[in-house]
Amino acid sequence: MVSFKELGLVNTREMFAKAIKGGYAIPAFNFNNMEQLQAIIKAAAETKSPVILQVSKGARNYANQTLLRYMAQGAVEYAKELGWEKPQIVLHLDHGDSFELCKSCVDFGFSSVMIDASHLPYEENIALTKKVVDYAHQFDVTVEAELGVLAGVEDEVSSAVSHYTKPEEVVDFATRTGCDSLAISIGTSHGAYKFTPEQCTRDPKTGKLVPPPLAFDVLDAVMEQLPGFPIVLHGSSSVPQEYVDMINSLGGKLPDAIGIPEEQLRKAAKSAVCKINIDSDSRLAFTAAVRKVLTEKPGEFDPRKYCGVARDFMEELYKHKIIDVLGSDGKA
Ligand code: 13P
């Protein structure tokens, strides 16, 4: 058993309380590899933003959970080396699907876990979430839960349909589980295809797809039921068209990839939404960079030459999210 505190990590409690009061949101960036982690930490250290490092099931399968945890521990030291005296870094399990997995992360030094039992019947979601909360809270580890179902595909988490969170359930759920934050479904979804063309309208001038707005009425109703309670948005990549266009023009195939407009995320960040999950955007930045370098220099075979550019693209993306979308710069 190792406590996250020994690793220099923090949980989300204080961070979320400050974010709600201050009208901004904490970025929750997924990571699978060193370049991504370096880019996240550099962006957070340079902008002095609190940050949540997320480990998904796919990341655990790809990179190994043990290795990722030690990388996060190393990230704290790296942040200090970059001149961030007291880094505010959370190591969070994204979409934990069992008590055993959440427990193993708590025991291993994660400072926050998500138990995602949103696909289960309501009472089973409550029972499993409460079991995780009861365990995690003994070690001061914070717990995110989910009500409602997001559509889309994220590693091994997928659903063809979405169900908005029912505002009438949130008080009962939060009270009976004791969870620290609640992920809700208001129209965001995982992946780079968040809306079908049929769900969108087309801008007559540019011909580009315009996605439907998020269900802010559902968010407002949740906030009315649970004033000041930390709300989380998953599936919040905006799928920057500059990367999509770059990928498509360099031999890729991402037709009609579309995300959540950044103005909508900015609006959400000013409310009780205090954690915004972004994964797909950094995948797009990485892929665009690699395609660009390998197209421009077909003779290149040193991975540092294209992974290094990918790291620069991701760092720029993370800084933009922190400063221009979530407003968390200068808050750590
Ligand atoms: P995106 O696919 O929109 O980046 O969402 C990531 C996410 O919600 C991780 O849990």
Side-chain angles (χ1 to χ4, degrees), residues 30 54 94-95 153-154 189-192 194 233-237 277-281:
N30 291 71
Q54 302 205 123
D94 194 20
H95 293 290
V153 182
E154 184 203 13
S189 62
H190 295 117
K194 300 196 186 297
L233 285 189
H234 281 246
S236 296
S237 276
N277 288 10
I278 296 167
D279 187 5
S280 298
D281 284 355

Side-chain angles (χ1 to χ4, degrees), residues 106-264:
V106 170
D107 293 349
F108 198 40
F110 280 58
S111 56
S112 173
V113 292
M114 175 190 195
I115 175 70
D116 180 2
S118 58
H119 53 287
L120 296 178
Y122 182 68
E123 287 298 328
E124 288 175 43
N125 186 353
I126 289 190
L128 181 51
T129 302
K130 182 170 170 21
K131 191 172 172 189
V132 171
V133 169
D134 287 347
Y135 185 76
H137 279 185
Q138 294 177 69
F139 307 100
D140 208 18
V141 170
T142 39
V143 179
E144 176 184 323
E146 180 164 324
L147 259 186
V149 177
L150 267 70
V153 182
E154 184 203 13
D155 294 338
E156 278 123 65
V157 183
S158 72
S159 170
V161 286
S162 75
H163 302 288
Y164 287 163
T165 303
K166 296 181 186 149
E168 63 275 19
E169 288 180 347
V170 297
V171 173
D172 182 61
F173 185 85
T175 314
R176 286 171 61 198
T177 61
C179 65
D180 300 280
S181 59
L182 186 63
I184 63 167
S185 171
I186 59 165
T188 62
S189 62
H190 295 117
Y193 297 91
K194 300 196 186 297
F195 305 100
T196 61
E198 293 72 43
Q199 290 173 301
C200 303
T201 49
R202 266 196 206 269
D203 183 325
K205 277 191 206 134
T206 61
K208 292 255 179 205
L209 293 175
V210 180
L214 296 179
F216 278 98
D217 54 330
V218 176
L219 173 61
D220 287 344
V222 168
M223 291 193 299
E224 204 179 304
Q225 294 292 318
L226 282 178
F229 194 82
I231 304 297
V232 176
L233 285 189
H234 281 246
S236 296
S237 276
S238 48
V239 186
Q241 291 302 300
E242 74 214 72
Y243 297 140
V244 174
D245 292 346
M246 202 184 283
I247 292 168
N248 285 339
S249 70
L250 297 169
K253 226 180 200 176
L254 296 174
D256 292 332
I258 191 159
I260 310 295
E262 289 186 335
E263 315 82 71
Q264 304 229 350

